């Protein structure tokens, strides 16, 4: 028997061949410590890489790599915690694409394009995959709309079952570009979603009543809101961040238009927010000050002065943060060409 060191490391690092932007933890129970990474190269040719931590050697290895047109604005694995759906991941960029993960060959299942009659496509800024019904995906676009797609995983033909998709609904969500979309766990977790955009508002929608929306918050200066994240355990709370802002705003949908907390320790603009998968009172924020901060917001509505944990990525601005649903003890961050997972 080889004697491996008993103590697990607290940080594992992977260096990609190119700068990284998008990144997401795999959800499947049989694929621990697997992440998908998207390159950020300012040209047409970009890449997506699937990496996995070998727990024996303590090293990340690339399991699959495939070409992607333009940088991915977001990557997400199918929210399939039981491992009953095909092993799919999706990316947004010029279009929404669904891929089937393989080792070493991942393959494109479908390209979902809502502009059938036009050569022009309005780039997608983000998307979200519904946890309760993984056949629903919502996308946000610079053309002011959000689109809800229905996915079908067809019957196997031989050993292949193709994934197809159709538009369930498209709606004008904002007065300007829409920058992020996220489904809420409220009311069964299937029908409610929110979006943020360049008009500086957070708006909430219900797929059963799309004729109207609710404005939850408007930035006083109409500064664009870039990111949106729902609390994973308490669907009353969500977090948002404004463009070039050093603070994260926590909102309570029961008290519209008034933030219940502001997390303002970052010394440069915030790039990412991620709620804990297992706790209603913990959130992680990351920014251009090289920091990833974890906050305990139990004190709300009393002011939250300081984070409970701070990690500094010495070499670069942290441009992405993800808190793994199946590994709640681990947070993943991206800076420059590096992806790190940190034990919390």
């Amino acid at each position: 028997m080889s004697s491996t060191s008993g103590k697990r490391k607290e940080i594992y690092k992977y260096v990609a061949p190119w700068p990284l932007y998008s990144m997401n933890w795999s959800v499947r129970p049989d694929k621990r410590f697997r992440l998908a990474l998207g390159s950020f190269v300012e040209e047409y040719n970009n890449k997506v890489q699937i990496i996995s931590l070998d727990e024996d050697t303590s090293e990340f290895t690339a399991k699959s790599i495939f070409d992607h047109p333009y940088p991915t604005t977001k990557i997400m694995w199918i929210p399939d915690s039981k491992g009953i759906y095909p092993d799919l991941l999706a990316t947004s960029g010029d279009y929404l694409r669904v891929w089937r993960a393989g080792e070493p060959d991942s393959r494109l299942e479908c390209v979902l394009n809502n502009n059938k009659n036009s050569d022009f496509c309005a780039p997608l800024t983000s998307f979200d995959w519904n946890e309760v019904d993984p056949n629903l995906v919502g996308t946000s676009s610079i053309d002011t709309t959000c689109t809800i797609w229905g996915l079908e995983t067809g019957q196997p033909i031989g050993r292949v079952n193709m994934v197809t998709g159709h538009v369930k609904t498209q709606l004008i969500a904002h007065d300007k570009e829409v920058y992020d979309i996220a489904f809420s766990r409220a009311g069964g977790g299937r029908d409610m979603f929110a979006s943020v955009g360049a008009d500086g508002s957070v708006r909430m929608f219900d797929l059963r009543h799309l004729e109207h929306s609710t404005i939850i918050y408007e930035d006083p200066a109409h500064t664009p809101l870039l990111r949106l994240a729902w609390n994973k355990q308490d669907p009353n709370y969500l977090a948002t961040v404004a463009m070039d802002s050093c603070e994260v705003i926590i909102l309570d949908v029961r008290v519209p238009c008034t933030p219940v907390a502001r997390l303002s320790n970052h010394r440069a603009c915030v790039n990412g927010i991620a709620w804990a998968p297992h706790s209603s009172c913990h959130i992680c924020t990351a920014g251009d000050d090289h920091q990833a901060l974890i906050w305990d917001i139990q004190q709300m509505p009393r002011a939250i002065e300081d984070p409970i944990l701070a990690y500094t990525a010495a070499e670069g601005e942290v441009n992405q943060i993800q808190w793994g649903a199946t590994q709640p003890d681990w947070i993943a961050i991206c800076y420059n060409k590096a992806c790190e997972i940190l034990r919390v």
Side-chain angles (χ1 to χ4, degrees), residues 200-317:
S201 69
V202 181
R203 301 192 187 196
M204 195 155 153
F205 301 87
D206 186 327
L207 288 174
R208 298 159 296 194
H209 308 288
L210 283 173
E211 61 279 2
H212 58 83
S213 63
T214 308
I215 293 182
I216 301 174
Y217 175 73
E218 284 190 289
D219 183 88
H222 300 291
T223 308
L225 299 176
L226 299 185
R227 290 282 167 266
L228 157 78
W230 287 99
N231 188 307
K232 299 289 185 206
Q233 296 296 328
D234 185 337
N236 290 309
Y237 294 107
L238 71 161
T240 186
V241 60
M243 190 161 78
D244 299 328
S245 170
C246 299
E247 72 175 12
V248 172
I249 295 163
I250 309 288
L251 303 168
D252 182 338
V253 295
R254 298 163 297 190
V255 192
C257 302
T258 311
V260 281
R262 294 174 185 273
L263 311 179
S264 45
N265 273 45
H266 281 284
R267 295 189 292 276
C269 71
V270 177
N271 295 322
I273 40 183
W275 290 91
H278 59 308
S279 156
S280 62
C281 54
H282 292 95
I283 186 171
C284 192
T285 61
D288 274 2
D289 58 0
H290 297 210
Q291 291 203 103
L293 307 177
I294 294 182
W295 307 78
D296 183 340
I297 59 168
Q298 274 182 98
Q299 304 294 330
M300 295 190 312
R302 295 214 302 278
I304 315 293
E305 300 289 346
D306 291 303
I308 55 169
L309 208 79
Y311 174 75
T312 303
E315 296 113 49
E317 301 167 348

Side-chain angles (χ1 to χ4, degrees), residues 96-138:
L96 179 68
R97 290 176 173 82
V98 180
W99 312 79
R100 182 179 303 251
E103 296 178 12
D105 295 322
S106 299
R107 71 158 194 260
L108 179 64
E109 287 284 321
C110 60
V111 179
L112 300 177
N113 168 20
N114 205 5
N115 301 45
K116 287 287 186 282
N117 51 4
S118 159
D119 295 335
F120 169 78
C121 70
L124 301 177
T125 50
S126 187
F127 72 97
D128 194 24
W129 208 322
N130 192 294
E131 290 181 8
V132 172
D133 181 357
N135 294 311
L136 286 180
V137 177

